[in-house]
Amino acid sequence: MDRNQNLNRAETFSFINPWIRYFLFFFSFLFWVFSLLIIAIGVYAKIQKATDTVRDTFLVDPAVVLIVAGVVMFFITFCGCIGALRENIRLLKTFSLSLTLVFLTQLAIAVLGFFYSDQTRDALGKFVKKALVHYRDDLDLQNLMDYIQKEAVINTMCGFGVQTQKYVEANKLIYPVGCADRAVTWIESHLLLVGALALGLALPQVAGIVLSQILICQIQDEITSVS
């Protein structure tokens, strides 16, 4: 009887932890649904301005940015969902590798932006200037810039009448510092908040990488034990 029990245990034993497998699945599925929502919003925004003939605003088009980000997230999370559900090593490796590349890219950008703040300020300034040039050409870009101005700029009339005032008085009505310089200054004075946001963005990626690697090892152990 003990021998039969041992055989039954051997038959039911699995190296694959179901908690890790299904947690990774639901984790990926949640972000997969979110990616579909981002794509839908981007496509809807792009369709609403389908008559727009301007092509130079492609890189500063919020709708295009949403679509690209959504498609990338959709591909990564799809590999995670199906890979965890079907215990597919190739899809799990693709999921892990893609997340690793995204994480390392974000880390490299953050490090370069911190150590090369002057170059970052110049690049951000060029981006803002390009966006301002095409302010009237893109409705989404226009709404985004209007929102930023209402939240960050004291005088919504672009400093009307301040040229006749002294610097101290004008400083109470407008921001004399440019958008790019002010953005960099804000980041430097809120490093703790920026760090917390970066950590909140990095933790899900690291968790996905670690869980997928653990599941891959468990699946490989399962295959080895069967063979």
Side-chain angles (χ1 to χ4, degrees):
M1 186 172 179
D2 292 338
R3 183 180 180 182
N4 292 332
Q5 289 179 346
N6 291 333
L7 289 174
N8 290 333
R9 289 178 180 176
E11 291 176 356
T12 57
F13 176 78
S14 175
F15 287 95
I16 301 174
N17 189 324
W19 289 101
I20 294 179
R21 177 189 175 192
Y22 288 110
F23 182 82
L24 181 59
F25 168 75
F26 286 112
F27 172 83
S28 301
F29 181 77
L30 178 65
F31 284 95
W32 181 72
V33 173
F34 184 63
S35 69
L36 289 177
L37 180 62
I38 293 177
I39 294 174
I41 295 174
V43 170
Y44 174 78
K46 197 64 179 175
I47 292 176
Q48 289 298 104
K49 54 180 182 181
T51 56
D52 183 14
T53 58
V54 178
R55 294 292 177 266
D56 195 34
T57 60
F58 182 81
L59 294 178
V60 294
D61 189 341
V64 174
V65 173
L66 286 176
I67 294 173
V68 172
V71 169
V72 172
M73 187 184 297
F74 176 87
F75 170 76
I76 295 175
T77 53
F78 176 81
C79 292
C81 282
I82 305 302
L85 188 64
R86 305 297 298 176
E87 299 177 5
N88 189 302
I89 293 180
R90 289 185 179 179
L91 288 178
L92 287 173
K93 286 184 176 180
T94 302
F95 172 76
S96 178
L97 178 62
S98 300
L99 268 185
T100 302
L101 290 176
V102 171
F103 175 76
L104 292 178
T105 301
Q106 293 173 347
L107 182 62
I109 293 175
V111 172
L112 291 175
F114 181 79
F115 286 102
Y116 298 94
S117 58
D118 293 337
Q119 290 83 345
T120 302
R121 185 183 289 107
D122 294 338
L124 183 60
K126 292 179 181 178
F127 182 83
V128 172
K129 288 179 180 179
K130 184 176 181 180
L132 291 174
V133 168
H134 299 287
Y135 174 79
R136 294 294 181 184
D137 300 329
D138 192 314
L139 182 60
D140 290 332
L141 184 62
Q142 181 178 339
N143 292 333
L144 178 62
M145 297 298 294
D146 288 345
Y147 175 79
I148 294 175
Q149 286 182 340
K150 289 179 181 179
E151 293 296 324
V153 180
I154 302 174
N155 189 348
T156 58
M157 296 181 65
C158 300
F160 176 76
V162 296
Q163 292 182 344
T164 59
Q165 301 179 5
K166 296 182 179 180
Y167 179 84
V168 177
E169 297 175 348
N171 195 38
K172 298 178 181 179
L173 300 175
I174 63 170
Y175 291 124
V177 182
C179 296
D181 292 334
R182 185 165 184 83
V184 174
T185 302
W186 186 91
I187 293 174
E188 291 175 347
S189 60
H190 296 79
L191 289 178
L192 184 61
L193 177 60
V194 174
L197 293 175
L199 184 62
L201 183 64
L203 281 179
Q205 299 175 23
V206 174
I209 295 170
V210 172
L211 289 175
S212 60
Q213 287 297 325
I214 293 175
L215 187 56
I216 289 172
C217 292
Q218 292 179 347
I219 295 174
Q220 290 174 337
D221 291 339
E222 183 74 12
I223 294 174
T224 303
S225 66
V226 172
S227 60

